[in-house]
């Protein structure tokens, strides 16, 4: 029986004779996709050593305590040295940005070899990188299988602005919320991302932008002129972060750790469609900035646009916002409001929005709707958006109109969608991406 199997050039060279014989063709050294007859003993024997290797455990995404326990349990670090070894690894992983144990120079060669045998700090595969005319970058990442699952793909977007660079990070592969105006909602949920996979988006983006020490910024890249290339991160990519709370929490606490990646919590924004029970926990246990995907000021309309509203209606959502830990004029909640023509863009909607948010330190981001294939919605006219914004500003709320970014590479707000649920290479080319810029402290 014939099975399709992708084999890298290195593996082909290592097992070349068996593969060549099975394919009945000359050995080829370049990477390619081949069809193998796994019924032959020679090919099964060639594959057996690799198949028998146990998967290596990721160190990225582990807390210090988890990392120490893993090193000791593996038998490669004595318990009395665990704290010191974790401190060394933490610095190399999150300050220096290494992705290969061979590049850690203050531990012995023997320990590096043992770490490499039992653990991994490798980055995900970059399937595709696209750069917009306005400097926006979009990556399609592929992560390896988990358990009996398949490899999955997600998208991450970087938006450079004057004096800042914002990275939009995904928390799930697909989404369960089915918001009617959002392309991501048309992709079924495949699985949650792990803390490692969430952090890998940030770390790989920093690799590509030259944001770790001794790394070069790509020629011609649009990035902040000084300091960090990634100054802010927003959990606004694929998925609902509060439906993957524990892994998102672990990742964001590591991202904000002062001895590692060291992003200020005021420069990290978590966006939710309104999972009310997770809002207080976000403030208490993570302490980052909060954004709410609001988009409607009446329950009947929000039930249609953001169906989670049927479970957590506006009254419950607003109560949770008013009680968000640490809420103040210096730590405002951002309310996202996509402008849909003749749906939610009237002056009556603007008046009701002001009434709804009364008493909540808030900023309202007005987002011109970004069309995607198959949508029935249209963007509000620009004069309508400006009139809506003027009313909110006069009521005392900041209401910036977000300039659409990355539309030419489908990397604008509400356009993100990978094709992991189909798992077919030929169908992976229809890529869309999501990003909302301008969040967190300047």
């Amino acid at each position: 029986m014939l099975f399709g199997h992708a084999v890298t050039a290195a593996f082909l060279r290592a097992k070349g004779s068996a593969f060549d014989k099975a394919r009945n063709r000359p050995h080829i050294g370049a990477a390619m996709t081949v069809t193998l007859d796994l019924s032959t003993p020679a090919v099964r024997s060639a594959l057996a050593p690799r198949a028998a290797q146990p998967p290596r455990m990721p160190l990225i995404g582990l807390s210090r305590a988890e990392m120490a326990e893993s090193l000791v349990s593996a038998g490669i670090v004595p318990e009395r040295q665990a704290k010191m070894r974790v401190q060394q690894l933490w610095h190399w992983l999150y300050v220096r940005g290494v992705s290969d144990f061979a590049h850690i120079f203050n531990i012995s060669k023997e320990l590096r070899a043992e770490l490499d045998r039992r653990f991994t700090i490798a980055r995900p595969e970059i399937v595709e990188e696209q750069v917009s005319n306005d400097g926006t970058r979009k990556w399609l990442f592929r992560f390896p299988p988990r358990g009996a699952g398949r490899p999955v793909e997600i998208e991450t977007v970087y938006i450079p602005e004057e004096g800042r660079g914002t990275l939009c990070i995904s928390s799930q592969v697909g989404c369960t919320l089915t918001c009617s105006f959002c392309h991501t909602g048309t992709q079924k949920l495949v699985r949650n991302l792990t803390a490692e996979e969430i952090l890998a988006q940030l770390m790989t983006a920093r690799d590509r932008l030259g944001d770790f020490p001794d790394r070069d910024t790509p020629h011609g890249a649009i990035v902040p002129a000084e300091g960090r290339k990634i100054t802010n991160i927003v959990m606004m990519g694929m998925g609902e972060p509060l439906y993957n709370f524990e892994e998102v929490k672990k990742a964001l606490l590591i991202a904000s750790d002062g001895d590692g990646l060291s992003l200020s919590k005021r420069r990290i924004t978590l966006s939710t469609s309104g999972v009310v029970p997770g809002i207080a926990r976000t403030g208490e246990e993570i302490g980052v900035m909060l954004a709410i995907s609001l988009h409607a000021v009446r329950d009947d309309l929000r039930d249609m646009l953001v169906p989670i509203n049927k479970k957590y209606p506006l009254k419950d959502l607003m109560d949770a916002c008013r009680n968000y830990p640490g809420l103040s004029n210096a730590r405002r909640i951002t309310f996202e409001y996509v402008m849909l023509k003749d749906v939610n863009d009237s002056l009556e909607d603007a008046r009701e929005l002001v009434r709804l948010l009364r008493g909540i330190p808030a900023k309202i981001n007005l987002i011109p709707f970004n069309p995607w294939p198959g949508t029935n919605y249209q963007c509000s006219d620009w004069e309508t958006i400006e009139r809506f914004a003027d009313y909110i500003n006069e009521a005392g709320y900041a209401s910036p109109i977000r300039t659409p970014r990355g539309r030419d590479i489908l990397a604008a707000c509400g356009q993100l969608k990978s094709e992991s649920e189909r798992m077919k290479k030929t169908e992976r080319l229809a890529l869309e991406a999501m990003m909302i810029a301008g969040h967190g402290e300047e």
Side-chain angles (χ1 to χ4, degrees):
M1 186 175 183
L2 293 177
F3 294 83
H5 189 85
V7 183
T8 63
F11 193 45
L12 279 171
R13 287 192 291 270
K15 306 298 181 182
S17 60
F19 290 149
D20 296 339
K21 186 175 181 180
R23 297 197 315 267
N24 194 26
R25 61 186 290 182
H27 174 64
I28 298 175
M32 61 184 296
T33 298
V34 299
T35 299
L36 301 180
D37 184 354
L38 299 186
S39 65
T40 64
V43 175
R44 290 203 304 272
S45 176
L47 288 171
R50 171 163 289 198
Q53 293 178 0
R56 294 182 297 167
M57 179 181 180
L59 285 186
I60 302 293
L62 298 182
S63 67
R64 285 183 175 83
E66 290 170 335
M67 191 179 294
E69 182 181 356
S70 298
L71 296 174
V72 172
S73 298
I76 60 176
V77 170
E79 191 167 352
R80 66 181 182 278
Q81 293 183 8
K83 183 177 180 180
M84 179 264 290
R85 294 301 186 193
V86 167
Q87 185 175 355
Q88 289 176 318
L89 288 170
W90 202 268
H91 174 83
W92 283 100
L93 295 181
Y94 298 122
V95 177
R96 307 297 301 182
V98 300
S99 57
D100 188 330
F101 290 112
H103 298 153
I104 299 178
F105 301 125
N106 62 345
I107 61 176
S108 69
K109 183 178 179 180
E110 293 75 15
L111 180 53
R112 292 200 301 267
E114 279 298 304
L115 286 168
D116 189 57
R117 187 172 68 87
R118 301 294 296 270
F119 301 100
T120 179
I121 54 175
R123 300 290 193 257
E125 176 187 356
I126 300 175
V127 178
E128 188 169 7
E129 179 174 8
Q130 294 178 284
V131 183
S132 169
N133 294 328
D134 61 22
T136 298
R137 288 176 180 259
K138 181 177 68 172
W139 295 279
L140 178 66
F141 294 130
R142 179 183 291 137
F143 293 105
R146 297 286 173 184
R150 297 179 177 183
V152 296
E153 295 167 357
I154 56 96
E155 291 183 326
T156 304
V157 177
Y158 172 74
I159 290 187
E161 300 174 88
E162 184 67 31
R164 64 191 287 159
T166 303
L167 189 72
C168 180
I169 295 177
S170 295
S171 58
Q172 296 177 308
V173 185
C175 188
T176 62
L177 297 181
T178 64
C179 297
S180 61
F181 59 88
C182 180
H183 203 190
T184 311
T186 67
Q187 177 180 346
K188 294 179 182 178
L189 178 68
V190 177
R191 69 169 173 84
N192 288 334
L193 294 176
T194 65
E196 176 216 0
E197 292 164 335
I198 294 168
L199 284 167
Q201 297 171 66
L202 170 59
M203 298 176 74
T204 308
R206 291 191 68 182
D207 288 341
R208 300 295 296 174
L209 295 169
D211 207 19
F212 279 118
D214 305 320
R215 309 288 174 86
D216 294 327
T217 300
H219 179 71
I222 300 176
V223 295
E226 297 180 351
R228 291 185 176 214
K229 312 300 186 295
I230 298 174
T231 61
N232 296 61
I233 61 175
V234 292
M235 297 299 302
M236 296 182 183
M238 297 167 63
E240 166 53 63
L242 296 188
Y243 279 159
N244 188 19
F245 184 87
E246 293 300 333
E247 296 301 310
V248 168
K249 172 184 171 181
K250 285 176 63 176
L252 294 186
L253 290 179
I254 291 173
S256 59
D257 185 282
D259 293 324
L261 294 166
S262 196
L263 278 164
S264 166
K265 290 185 178 182
R266 296 186 67 167
R267 291 181 177 267
I268 300 173
T269 301
L270 183 148
S271 177
T272 176
S273 292
V275 183
V276 168
I279 290 176
R281 288 190 67 194
T282 298
E284 293 164 357
E285 300 178 32
I286 310 178
V288 295
M289 306 296 281
L290 180 68
I292 303 293
S293 294
L294 187 62
H295 310 306
V297 294
R298 306 188 315 273
D299 279 322
D300 60 337
L301 179 57
R302 196 165 191 268
D303 286 349
M304 180 179 67
L305 297 179
V306 189
I308 196 175
N309 193 73
K310 297 174 185 176
K311 187 172 184 179
Y312 304 114
L314 283 168
K315 181 183 182 304
D316 295 344
L317 177 58
M318 292 301 106
D319 287 345
C321 291
R322 287 185 175 87
N323 294 311
Y324 188 69
L327 182 64
S328 67
N329 287 328
R331 294 176 63 88
R332 297 174 293 174
I333 295 175
T334 299
F335 289 88
E336 309 291 351
Y337 198 94
V338 65
M339 299 298 293
L340 302 171
K341 185 174 183 178
D342 299 328
V343 175
N344 64 352
D345 61 352
S346 69
L347 278 180
E348 180 58 33
D349 289 311
R351 283 190 285 269
E352 183 61 19
L353 179 58
V354 170
R355 188 201 65 78
L356 190 68
L357 301 184
R358 188 169 294 130
I360 302 176
K363 177 176 73 171
I364 297 96
N365 275 354
L366 300 180
I367 308 166
F369 175 68
N370 290 298
W372 43 268
T375 182
N376 293 320
Y377 292 109
Q378 298 178 47
C379 181
S380 302
D381 298 331
W382 196 254
E383 289 183 1
T384 301
I385 297 175
E386 289 185 326
R387 188 165 59 246
F388 197 102
D390 288 344
Y391 183 90
I392 295 172
N393 275 314
E394 290 170 4
Y397 291 97
S399 57
I401 302 170
R402 288 296 159 215
T403 303
R405 303 289 301 274
R407 277 181 164 175
D408 55 320
I409 59 170
L410 290 172
C413 170
Q415 291 182 314
L416 184 148
K417 181 185 176 185
S418 76
E419 295 298 328
S420 284
E421 78 275 21
R422 295 194 179 100
M423 297 305 299
K424 293 181 181 178
K425 184 177 180 180
T426 56
E427 295 176 343
R428 198 181 62 239
L429 301 180
L431 307 178
E432 291 78 32
M434 172 181 183
M435 183 64 210
I436 299 172
H439 287 273
E441 190 178 64
E442 296 293 337

